[in-house]
């Protein structure tokens, strides 16, 4: 998670921190500065009352300026400089008026005030240097105007200590300013990180709700699919039973049938047996979707099975005036597969091609041996399926809602089951289409 701080955000938060520190300084002055009159009463009894009044007026002016600057959102630096100037003026006057034996005490009070500002104020080090120079300038001015003592006497009675403390205090804001800036930056990063985490938690909660909703919809669709297969399977079993019974009745009268009719009766009988076998497998949806789907594996000539499917659909193609082209390899190629399901894969693909080819089109059925793999290909001249339907085609057991348009969808269960059965038996089914038609390809390993 990457958090980026803009310059405007840093300035805004730094200003808040600076005003917080300024607020502490101003209120400390307001509450403590009048107490300095106690020192005046003890060590400068002759004029303590005058300076008490001056101190009260000073804090009233500082408080008024503080309220005004906050209201107008002026720079806190100017407020602090004005406040320190007023305090420094009083302190500088007292340092040059009091008796020499008490001068050290007032220099220490002045140094304490300067040190307090530099310890509390959050500003650039240059501002502390300006304050120190201002204090020294005021001391020099009032020394010339008011002092009765020479410079050496002033320095030896607290002046030297004041200069040392003032110089040292100028070093404090440099480190303090950097530390507080880092704190402000860290605080901004923490706040922004918390906001991002809150937003991410909110997004995750929304996505979880969406997933729960989609899961519930999928569960309902799965239930509908199972119900459909169960109902359809039950009805199909009844229909197949009727076909088998009718076909057996015809078989009993086979002496009346021609050879071609007997062959067709054989096709019907064989197809009915395959349908019953497949229904028993497909009725259990859990078994269909399981990676351990049970097949009746056997060794057989797969070209014979393709030819059987080809002949079985030849008449269907003729009824639509569609020409089936036989490019089936005449050499035997043995595979080890479930014969019924392998035949159903070819049946689904070829019947699908016939169903959606236009009249007078040709469909080429090709088998070959390529790199020890049996290859079954269907090349038709029908309408191209298209990329969107292509992506949907390989979905397992796609619901039959796609048949609700004017054009019948070619993407019902047939191709999905063909894809599933091919993969489960270790083969591959691929597809492509262009302006000339559609191309399906199935591959299985052959055995020696």
């Amino acid at each position: 998670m990457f958090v980026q701080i803009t310059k405007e955000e840093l300035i805004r938060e730094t200003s808040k921190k600076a005003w917080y520190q300024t607020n502490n300084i101003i209120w400390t002055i307001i509450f403590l500065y009048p107490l300095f009159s106690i020192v005046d009463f003890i060590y400068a009894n002759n004029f303590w009352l005058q300076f008490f009044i001056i101190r009260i007026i000073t804090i009233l002016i500082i408080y008024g300026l503080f309220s005004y600057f906050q209201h107008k959102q002026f720079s806190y630096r100017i407020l602090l400089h004005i406040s320190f100037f007023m305090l420094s003026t009083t302190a500088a006057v007292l340092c040059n008026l009091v008796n020499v034996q008490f001068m050290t005490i007032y220099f220490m009070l002045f140094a304490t005030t300067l040190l307090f500002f530099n310890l509390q104020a959050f500003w650039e080090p240059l501002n502390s240097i300006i304050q120190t120079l201002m204090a020294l300038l005021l001391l020099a001015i009032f020394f010339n105007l008011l002092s009765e003592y020479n410079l050496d006497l002033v320095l030896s009675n607290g002046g030297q200590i004041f200069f040392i403390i003032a110089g040292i205090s100028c070093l404090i804001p440099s480190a303090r300013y950097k530390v507080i800036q880092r704190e402000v930056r860290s605080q901004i990063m923490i706040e922004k990180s918390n906001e991002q985490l809150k937003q991410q938690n909110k997004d995750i909660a929304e996505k979880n709700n969406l997933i729960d909703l989609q899961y519930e919809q999928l569960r309902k669709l799965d239930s509908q699919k199972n119900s459909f297969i169960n109902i359809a399977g039950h009805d199909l079993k009844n229909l197949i039973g009727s076909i088998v019974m009718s076909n057996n009745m015809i078989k009993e009268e086979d002496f009346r049938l021609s050879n071609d009719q007997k062959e067709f009766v054989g096709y019907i009988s064989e197809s009915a047996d395959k349908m019953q076998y497949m229904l028993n497998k497909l009725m259990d949806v859990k078994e269909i979707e399981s990676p351990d789907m049970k097949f009746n594996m056997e060794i057989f000539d797969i070209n014979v099975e393709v030819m059987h499917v080809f002949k079985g659909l030849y008449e269907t193609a003729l009824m639509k005036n569609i020409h089936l082209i036989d490019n089936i390899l005449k050499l035997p190629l043995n595979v080890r597969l479930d014969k019924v399901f392998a035949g159903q894969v070819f049946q689904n693909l070829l019947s699908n091609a016939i169903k959606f080819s236009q009249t007078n089109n040709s469909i080429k059925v090709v088998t070959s041996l390529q790199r020890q793999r049996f290859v079954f290909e269907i090349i038709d001249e029908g309408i191209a399926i298209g990329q969107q339907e292509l992506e949907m085609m390989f979905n397992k057991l796609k619901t039959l809602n796609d048949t609700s348009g004017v054009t019948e969808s070619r993407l019902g269960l047939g191709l999905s089951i063909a894809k599933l059965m091919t993969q489960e038996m270790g083969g591959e089914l691929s597809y492509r289409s262009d302006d000339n038609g559609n191309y399906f390809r199935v591959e299985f390993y052959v055995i020696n």
Side-chain angles (χ1 to χ4, degrees):
M1 181 173 58
F2 179 72
V3 178
Q4 188 173 7
I5 302 175
T6 63
K7 185 178 180 181
E8 292 75 15
E9 289 175 330
L10 184 60
I11 292 173
R12 183 173 61 251
E13 294 301 320
T14 301
S15 178
K16 288 181 182 179
K17 184 68 174 179
W19 269 107
Y20 174 77
Q21 296 298 120
T22 302
N23 184 73
N24 291 340
I25 294 172
I26 297 300
W27 284 106
T28 302
I29 292 171
I30 290 172
F31 285 112
L32 296 183
Y33 190 58
L35 299 179
F36 283 15
S37 295
I38 298 174
V39 180
D40 296 340
F41 180 77
I42 296 173
Y43 299 108
N45 187 263
N46 295 335
F47 38 79
W48 77 270
L49 184 59
Q50 294 92 326
F51 277 94
F52 175 72
I53 296 171
I54 291 172
R55 293 184 194 281
I56 296 300
I57 294 172
T58 299
I59 62 174
L60 290 175
I61 293 172
I62 290 174
Y63 177 74
L65 290 172
F66 174 65
S67 301
Y68 181 74
F69 272 60
Q70 275 196 323
H71 178 69
K72 295 294 184 179
Q73 295 184 344
F74 290 155
S75 173
Y76 68 94
R77 297 175 181 85
I78 298 174
L79 173 63
L80 290 178
H81 280 303
I82 294 173
S83 301
F84 182 76
F85 176 78
M86 296 177 69
L87 299 179
S88 297
T89 302
T90 304
V93 170
L94 284 170
C95 285
N96 288 283
L97 279 181
V98 297
N99 193 288
V100 66
Q101 59 183 337
F102 305 128
M103 197 177 290
T104 302
I105 295 172
Y106 280 92
F107 270 117
M108 291 299 295
L109 284 176
F110 196 0
T112 301
T113 304
L114 179 60
L115 185 61
F116 168 74
F117 264 81
N118 287 329
L119 285 174
Q120 291 295 317
F122 173 44
W123 58 10
E124 296 80 0
L126 178 62
N127 293 280
S128 294
I129 296 173
I130 293 172
Q131 278 197 349
T132 302
L133 294 175
M134 184 191 304
L136 295 175
L137 180 62
L138 289 171
L139 283 172
I141 292 172
F142 290 113
F143 173 78
N144 290 326
L145 293 176
L146 304 174
S147 182
E148 299 176 355
Y149 310 105
N150 58 43
L151 183 60
D152 291 338
L153 190 61
V154 171
L155 291 176
S156 61
N157 286 275
Q160 192 173 12
I161 297 175
F162 173 81
F163 295 146
I164 294 172
I165 294 175
I168 294 173
S169 67
C170 289
L171 303 176
I172 296 173
S174 177
R176 177 177 170 77
Y177 185 76
K178 293 178 181 178
V179 170
I180 295 181
Q181 263 202 331
R182 283 199 296 268
E183 289 179 357
V184 171
R185 188 181 295 273
S186 299
Q187 181 180 352
I188 297 172
M189 292 183 68
I190 291 171
E191 290 176 355
K192 295 189 74 172
S193 298
N194 288 338
E195 287 299 321
Q196 285 189 2
L197 288 173
K198 288 179 182 178
Q199 185 61 41
Q200 288 177 355
N201 288 336
K202 182 180 178 182
D203 293 341
I204 290 171
E206 291 177 353
K207 289 178 180 178
N208 286 338
N209 292 335
L210 181 60
I211 290 172
D212 290 340
L213 180 61
Q214 291 175 340
Y215 171 78
E216 185 63 24
Q217 292 174 344
L218 289 173
R219 191 186 64 78
K220 290 179 180 179
L221 287 175
D222 186 66
S223 178
Q224 292 173 0
K225 177 198 69 178
N226 291 344
S227 298
F228 168 79
I229 292 180
N230 289 333
I231 294 171
H234 182 269
D235 293 342
L236 285 173
K237 277 188 174 182
N238 293 335
L239 293 174
I240 294 172
S242 299
I243 293 172
V244 171
M245 183 177 63
S246 301
N247 193 56
N248 289 337
M249 292 174 64
I250 295 174
K251 277 183 173 182
E252 293 176 358
E253 304 290 334
D254 61 352
F255 59 90
R256 299 181 179 180
L257 303 178
S258 65
N259 291 333
D260 290 339
Q261 290 172 334
K262 290 179 181 178
E263 185 178 358
F264 290 137
V265 168
Y267 281 137
I268 294 173
S269 178
E270 187 175 349
S271 297
D273 291 339
K274 288 182 178 180
M275 290 177 69
Q276 285 183 325
Y277 174 81
M278 291 190 64
L279 272 176
N280 291 332
K281 289 285 185 180
L282 298 178
M283 280 293 289
D284 188 356
V285 177
K286 292 182 179 179
E287 184 180 4
I288 294 173
E289 296 179 340
S290 170
D292 299 324
M293 186 173 180
K294 298 176 182 177
F295 292 103
N296 181 24
M297 308 300 279
E298 58 181 303
I299 298 174
F300 63 94
D301 184 353
I302 196 166
N303 280 323
V304 172
E305 186 62 26
V306 172
M307 180 59 70
H308 181 77
V309 172
F310 182 90
K311 290 180 178 179
L313 292 173
Y314 190 81
E315 294 294 330
T316 304
L318 287 180
M319 291 174 62
K320 290 189 65 175
N321 200 21
I322 293 172
H323 180 49
L324 291 184
I325 301 175
D326 173 11
N327 281 345
I328 300 171
L329 196 65
K330 299 305 183 284
L331 295 176
L333 289 178
N334 290 334
V335 295
R336 190 174 185 275
L337 302 170
D338 187 303
K339 187 175 182 180
V340 174
F341 276 102
Q344 191 61 35
V345 170
F346 307 141
Q347 175 92 14
N348 286 358
L349 295 178
L350 185 54
S351 63
N352 186 77
I354 294 171
K355 186 175 182 180
F356 294 99
S357 291
Q358 297 175 334
T359 303
N360 297 322
N361 282 352
S362 296
I363 300 175
K364 186 183 295 184
V365 179
V366 183
T367 64
S368 59
L369 177 64
Q370 300 179 19
R371 299 186 301 276
Q372 294 301 311
R373 294 176 72 119
F374 164 78
V375 177
F376 170 83
E377 297 169 291
I378 294 177
I379 306 168
D380 67 48
E381 298 175 353
I383 301 172
I385 292 177
Q387 185 63 32
Q388 184 176 2
E389 287 185 302
L390 170 61
E391 293 173 356
M392 298 168 62
M393 182 181 64
F394 296 132
N395 291 338
K396 283 186 178 182
L397 297 174
K398 183 179 177 295
T399 57
L400 300 178
N401 296 334
D402 294 326
T403 60
S404 57
V406 176
T407 305
E408 185 180 5
S409 172
R410 70 189 74 199
L411 300 180
L413 286 174
L415 295 181
S416 298
I417 292 176
K419 175 69 174 179
L420 175 62
M421 290 190 294
T422 302
Q423 290 178 331
E424 292 297 328
M425 290 188 292
E428 294 181 9
L429 192 157
S430 57
Y431 160 86
R432 71 171 185 269
S433 69
D434 53 33
D435 295 338
N436 297 323
N438 302 293
Y439 172 82
F440 288 93
R441 178 186 177 99
V442 177
E443 297 183 27
F444 288 113
Y445 283 103
V446 300
I447 61 175
N448 293 332

